[in-house]
Amino acid sequence: MHTPSAPRTWMRRAALALCAALATAAVAQDWPQRPVRIVVPFAAGSSPDILARIVNDRLGPLLGQPLVVDNKPGAGGNTGTDLVAKAAPDGQTFLLSVNAPLVYNTVLFKRLPYDPFTDLVPVSLAATTPNVCVATPGMGVASVKDWLAALRRNPGQYNFASTGNGSIAHLGVELVKLRTQSFAVHIPYASSAQAATAMLQGDVHFACLPPVSVMPQVQAGKLVALAVTSAERSALLPELPTLREAGLPDIQAVPWFAYMAPKGTPAAIVQRMGQAIAEVLKEPETRRRLASAYFDPVGSTPQELADFMLKELRLWRPVIERAGLKPSD
């Protein structure tokens, strides 16, 4: 029996690898051939929805096809995230989701209909934004010191809004409660817009929400801004102190927004989508529009996003477990 020589075997393998690379490149070059769906697992007017629409305005022309936002709210973001996890991996469906459905809910829920670490493929960490802790004027507080003193004096008298069980808006306040041995009742809403509306209606007393949802009301004198939840002061909101400056050094609870794809989506398409997102996020006009909505653009590689998600899981798993949080909390 004839055995190919080592050089010939190497050449054959190299040729096969080249053919595979060319085929992969061809897939990405031909994609997309029709409009691409961007599933946002929260309601219209929510922070991820606003981000998606700003990015889509430039991403569509860059890719040569319209990008259509498809809002699929429900179950704290799990409904829309699961939809994408089970979608055909053909490059026609992507997800723009946030912290909880992509990381925290894996700890909060005993069973999820999807696993974000195995059923989805990271594409790009698109942006972050500092949450702003705000109170209603009726709560009678003007600073973080006042706010915490009120919570300690009146355990259970105040309630707070969030964007859902396990959301960073929820976990951030739970961490404050844990660190200060205070108590307030949690009331979840389907989106930051609904949570802000509940505050204006007097249904809740305070919240730590994305600035795009609350700063217009702060500027109108309808809400009182207390602090940002980022580790450092935000360049977008330099006038607001951090919780660290108020004496809570271990609290950093920042919303982030990431693009994901169904498992099995061709790697070349994932790479092209990620590169296109990063390119759009560098454009001056896009950055101006994002800044006006209080977003800090990022634009990571898929691997950087994968590493970031694992880091977030290690950071927040003990917080969720120590607080004993459950989906109904």
Side-chain angles (χ1 to χ4, degrees):
M1 182 174 68
H2 176 68
T3 302
S5 65
R8 186 177 301 172
T9 301
W10 179 87
M11 290 175 64
R12 181 176 297 173
R13 289 175 179 170
L16 290 173
L18 178 60
C19 288
L22 291 173
T24 300
V27 168
Q29 188 173 6
D30 292 340
W31 172 86
Q33 293 295 312
R34 59 185 191 275
V36 175
R37 179 171 63 154
I38 307 295
V39 174
V40 172
F42 295 93
S46 61
S47 293
D49 176 76
I50 293 170
L51 176 64
R53 294 178 192 278
I54 291 174
V55 175
N56 279 4
D57 283 350
R58 290 295 304 128
L59 192 57
L62 184 61
L63 294 175
Q65 288 288 341
L67 273 71
V68 181
V69 173
D70 188 4
N71 298 99
K72 295 293 183 182
N78 291 344
T79 300
T81 304
D82 182 49
L83 185 153
V84 175
K86 293 178 170 57
D90 56 5
Q92 294 306 130
T93 300
F94 289 85
L95 173 75
L96 179 55
S97 194
V98 297
N99 315 42
L102 295 180
V103 175
Y104 310 153
N105 287 358
T106 62
V107 183
L108 189 69
F109 290 79
K110 288 185 178 180
R111 285 182 295 274
L112 282 177
Y114 64 92
D115 185 334
F117 293 96
T118 59
D119 297 333
L120 294 167
V121 177
V123 178
S124 179
L125 178 63
T128 63
T129 188
N131 266 351
V132 178
C133 296
V134 293
T136 60
M139 193 174 177
V141 299
S143 67
V144 172
K145 183 179 178 180
D146 294 344
W147 172 44
L148 297 180
L151 294 182
R152 290 192 185 100
R153 281 197 311 269
N154 305 287
Q157 179 176 323
Y158 299 109
N159 51 37
F160 71 96
S162 81
T163 51
N165 294 308
S167 66
I168 195 66
H170 176 203
L171 295 184
V173 176
E174 291 293 344
L175 191 52
V176 169
K177 289 164 56 179
L178 200 64
R179 293 282 188 271
T180 60
Q181 297 298 302
S182 58
F183 180 71
V185 179
H186 174 224
I187 302 180
Y189 291 87
S191 69
S192 55
Q194 291 183 18
T197 299
M199 293 189 71
L200 296 176
Q201 293 174 342
D203 297 329
V204 291
H205 300 96
F206 69 91
C208 295
L209 297 170
V212 68
S213 300
V214 296
M215 287 310 295
Q217 310 305 329
V218 170
Q219 291 157 0
K222 297 178 180 179
L223 294 175
V224 179
L226 304 173
V228 290
T229 60
S230 49
E232 307 295 337
R233 287 205 182 203
S234 169
L236 302 174
L237 296 160
E239 72 280 9
L240 292 181
T242 65
L243 290 173
R244 174 182 295 178
E245 291 176 70
L248 298 172
D250 298 330
I251 296 178
Q252 180 181 349
V254 176
W256 47 266
F257 308 85
Y259 285 88
M260 308 287 286
K263 178 184 177 182
T265 300
I269 291 178
V270 171
Q271 289 288 344
R272 186 178 176 200
M273 181 66 159
Q275 290 168 358
I277 291 168
E279 185 175 336
V280 166
L281 292 176
K282 291 177 182 177
E283 295 179 353
E285 177 58 19
T286 300
R287 295 178 74 88
R288 184 195 66 77
R289 292 184 63 195
L290 290 174
S292 70
Y294 304 99
F295 291 109
D296 286 309
V298 181
S300 75
T301 67
Q303 186 58 52
E304 287 170 342
L305 173 54
D307 294 341
F308 177 79
M309 288 171 60
L310 287 173
K311 180 181 177 182
E312 282 282 285
L313 180 61
R314 290 192 295 267
L315 176 66
W316 285 99
R317 178 191 290 277
V319 174
I320 296 170
E321 292 176 343
R322 191 161 57 244
L325 300 181
K326 298 178 178 59
S328 59
D329 289 345

